[in-house]
Amino acid sequence: MSVDTLPISIGFGGGAELLFGNKKNFAISLPVQEITKWQISDLLKWIQDNLLKERPELFIQDNSVRPGILVLINDVDWELMDTINYVIQPNDEIVFISTLHGG
Amino acid sequence: MPEETEVEQLEKEIEVLKQELKQKEARLQLLKSVKKQIVKHYSNHFTTDEITRYSRQMLVPAIGVAGQNALKQSNVLIVGAGGLGCPAALYLVAAGVGHLTIVDNDEVELTNLHRQILHTEADVGVPKVESALGKLSNINSNVKVNPLHLHVNSESLMGLLTKENFDVVIDCTDNVPTRYLLNDACVLKKIPLVSGSALQLEGQLTVYNYKNGPCYRCLFPVPPAPDSVTSCGDGGVVGIVPGVIGSLQALETVKIIADTSGVLNGRLLLFDGSNTTFRNVKLRNKNLDCQVCGSHPSITKLIDYEQFCGTRAHDKVINIEILSNSECMNVIQFSKVYEQAPIVIDVRPSVEYEMCHLTNSINIPYQDIEKDEHLDFLKELLAIHSGEKDVYVLCRRGNDSQRAVVKLRDQFRDSNFTFLNITGGLHSFAKQVDPAFPIY
């Protein structure tokens, strides 16, 4: 692992990918110069500045994700991982899933 | 027209034949049932036919004779006889549940048939629950199927859950208010809820309110904003995807009734058909502060769920009216001018335009107009037709076209052009002008 970046993968699904140019998976490296301990709250801001293509209100509200989006950290609900305060580890997989309602 | 007379004539004849068929089938069942009725001779629980019929399923250790008997005694409610409800009902009836109630307020439409596999071409216009009943009773006459053609709301659902003792409720609905309604009702009545959903190529499945696991409100205390929700009618759905999820809903239901381990509570299954992946994720625990299932619930009886979610309890589009009459034209007037009109702008998404469109229309999707991505193209187009005055704007139902007119009229304020919304869009055009134009 390189010392000056934090490599992680990010995923979007359930329609959330539409806000990111219809792309479901991103392999990214977060810079660790200014922020040494990346929390999910930092990542949300980073996503908004770097990946989000349109209608930010459909992804972020009140410094968290909007109602109806589930956040999964390595296949575990972020509620079990301290939500926005979770400290991101190298190679974490963080997935944002919009819930579906169709039937 | 002679064709119409023939259609009516055939409908009448088929109805008579159906009645005759029904009578003959009933008579046949009666004659055959002699063998069926042999009970408690070789088995304590099942008739001879039942043993043969369910043998392959009973041989599975997790089901066994006890599980099959539990299924036979069970009472299941399916809400929604659509893309999820059809396969779920099909498998549960085949598996031999005792009673199955299916609730749905809709009639079969041609747009349903690619995924709602209990319904056939002949069922278009028939209530879905009635169509479902016909197929289900042919598959397994042992199962008592109760079709209810009604809209579930707080009153009708509570009445139903109070009258019957359901072992499991299956959420096969298509909208957010009904999902909260079913959740709260199941919490109040202590019934496990098998919840499925599907859109485009993705599906989701979980079991709420089972063995101390979380409920829907534990996960989603706040409903999503109505404009962040996409329906099958707008986003589309590949028929097999609700087929997969609905089948799995039946499986989880069988597992709950047979009391097997490994039920999908406290976990969420995410199916992505685009790369054929199943992701199984661990969900949060039951929230002790949950408004309905927590230690001190504030919701102790059902509320108004349309109000709570700020949206209607169906997946139909609600029409808007944001323009004055002078900016609108009805489809009858439009039908007299459009063939000669040089500028007819169709603002639907390009895939819809590709499916079908008026031959002289030009496609500029509303999404592009919203993002100002069309300006240069439209300026050029208007420059070519600088002698013209009217620009006709239309879409599928006449809602996005109104939004487009608002945007365009401001952007081209200084031009001589008038942007006219075609009221009711292509749906109205198909209904009032040319029935050959497809309604979807």
Side-chain angles (χ1 to χ4, degrees), chain B residues 147-161:
Chain B
L148 292 179
H149 186 216
L150 61 85
H151 178 68
V152 286
N153 55 28
S154 298
E155 290 74 41
S156 64
L157 183 65
M158 220 6 122
L160 186 60
L161 296 191

Side-chain angles (χ1 to χ4, degrees), chain B residues 106-120:
Chain B
D106 287 344
E107 286 79 36
V108 178
E109 293 177 17
L110 198 55
T111 58
N112 300 149
L113 299 188
H114 81 291
R115 67 186 189 283
Q116 305 185 10
I117 50 168
L118 284 175
H119 314 309
T120 67

Side-chain angles (χ1 to χ4, degrees), chain B residues 86-374:
Chain B
C86 284
L90 202 52
Y91 274 113
L92 286 174
V93 163
V97 295
H99 290 73
L100 181 72
T101 300
I102 309 180
V103 187
D104 198 304
N105 199 36
D106 287 344
E107 286 79 36
V108 178
E109 293 177 17
L110 198 55
T111 58
N112 300 149
L113 299 188
H114 81 291
R115 67 186 189 283
Q116 305 185 10
I117 50 168
L118 284 175
H119 314 309
T120 67
E121 289 173 13
D123 298 317
V124 171
V126 172
K128 287 182 182 176
V129 290
E130 203 179 290
S131 155
L133 172 70
K135 319 303 180 315
L136 295 172
S137 39
N138 279 342
I139 290 169
N140 191 346
S141 59
N142 297 315
V143 181
K144 291 187 184 69
V145 179
N146 177 24
L148 292 179
H149 186 216
L150 61 85
H151 178 68
V152 286
N153 55 28
S154 298
E155 290 74 41
S156 64
L157 183 65
M158 220 6 122
L160 186 60
L161 296 191
T162 306
K163 198 176 104 203
E164 303 243 5
N165 271 323
F166 293 111
D167 298 294
V168 182
V169 174
I170 311 181
D171 184 347
C172 299
T173 64
D174 57 12
N175 65 84
V176 185
T178 310
R179 291 188 182 274
Y180 277 100
L181 165 66
L182 290 179
N183 179 71
D184 290 2
C186 284
V187 169
L188 296 176
K189 287 284 177 189
K190 301 184 168 57
I191 307 169
L193 176 65
V194 180
S195 174
S197 58
L199 190 72
Q200 298 190 337
L201 278 164
E202 287 184 66
Q204 298 172 356
L205 172 78
T206 188
V207 176
Y208 291 120
N209 195 36
Y210 182 64
K211 296 203 169 161
N212 217 28
C215 81
Y216 187 59
R217 260 184 209 276
C218 295
L219 258 68
F220 306 107
V222 180
D227 60 359
S228 69
V229 176
T230 310
S231 70
C232 289
D234 285 336
V237 61
V238 174
I240 300 104
V241 175
V244 169
I245 300 296
S247 304
L248 289 172
Q249 284 180 287
L251 176 62
E252 291 309 302
T253 303
V254 167
K255 283 161 62 187
I256 292 169
I257 294 167
D259 198 18
T260 70
S261 59
V263 171
L264 192 73
N265 59 325
R267 292 181 294 149
L268 172 69
L269 183 80
L270 303 164
F271 170 56
D272 188 344
S274 70
N275 50 11
T276 322
T277 52
F278 286 89
R279 189 188 276 268
N280 203 317
V281 304
K282 185 173 168 27
L283 291 175
R284 66 199 66 178
N285 301 320
K286 182 186 173 91
N287 176 6
L288 296 178
D289 298 323
C290 176
Q291 280 192 296
V292 69
C293 80
S295 324
H296 304 284
S298 56
I299 299 168
T300 52
K301 58 178 196 218
L302 299 181
I303 58 172
D304 182 331
Y305 292 88
E306 294 190 336
Q307 193 184 29
F308 172 67
C309 297
T311 182
R312 301 300 302 277
H314 54 63
D315 73 342
K316 314 285 187 289
V317 168
I318 294 156
N319 292 322
I320 58 166
E321 265 184 52
I322 54 171
L323 298 176
S324 66
N325 285 344
S326 63
E327 288 177 298
C328 295
M329 178 181 262
N330 68 44
V331 286
I332 302 292
Q333 289 172 296
F334 176 65
S335 70
K336 291 172 189 152
V337 296
Y338 85 95
E339 277 165 319
Q340 276 74 47
I343 325 175
V344 178
I345 300 176
D346 184 331
V347 300
R348 292 175 300 156
S350 54
V351 61
E352 294 182 34
Y353 181 83
E354 214 179 303
M355 286 199 299
C356 52
H357 58 262
L358 302 180
T359 42
N360 62 331
S361 64
I362 299 155
N363 186 215
I364 307 177
Y366 175 64
Q367 270 206 318
D368 294 351
I369 294 177
E370 232 186 343
K371 287 186 254 173
D372 295 332
E373 279 175 12
H374 64 289

Side-chain angles (χ1 to χ4, degrees), chain B residues 10-78:
Chain B
L10 281 171
E11 279 175 347
K12 270 184 204 155
E13 286 173 19
I14 289 170
E15 197 48 49
V16 173
L17 287 171
K18 269 186 186 169
Q19 290 304 325
E20 201 180 325
L21 180 67
K22 236 182 186 175
Q23 286 164 9
K24 283 186 193 290
E25 279 176 344
R27 174 74 188 147
L28 180 66
Q29 285 295 338
L30 188 75
L31 294 173
K32 278 185 170 178
S33 66
V34 180
K35 190 180 168 194
K36 254 193 192 169
Q37 283 162 357
I38 307 169
V39 195
K40 294 186 180 176
H41 194 72
Y42 296 106
S43 156
N44 290 330
H45 305 289
F46 301 107
T47 64
T48 300
D49 272 6
E50 283 172 328
I51 297 283
T52 309
R53 175 172 203 134
Y54 303 123
S55 58
R56 300 299 188 270
Q57 185 162 283
M58 277 191 278
L59 287 172
V60 178
I63 304 294
V65 174
Q68 191 64 48
N69 193 37
L71 277 173
K72 187 178 173 178
Q73 309 302 326
S74 71
N75 193 1
V76 175
L77 171 66
I78 294 183

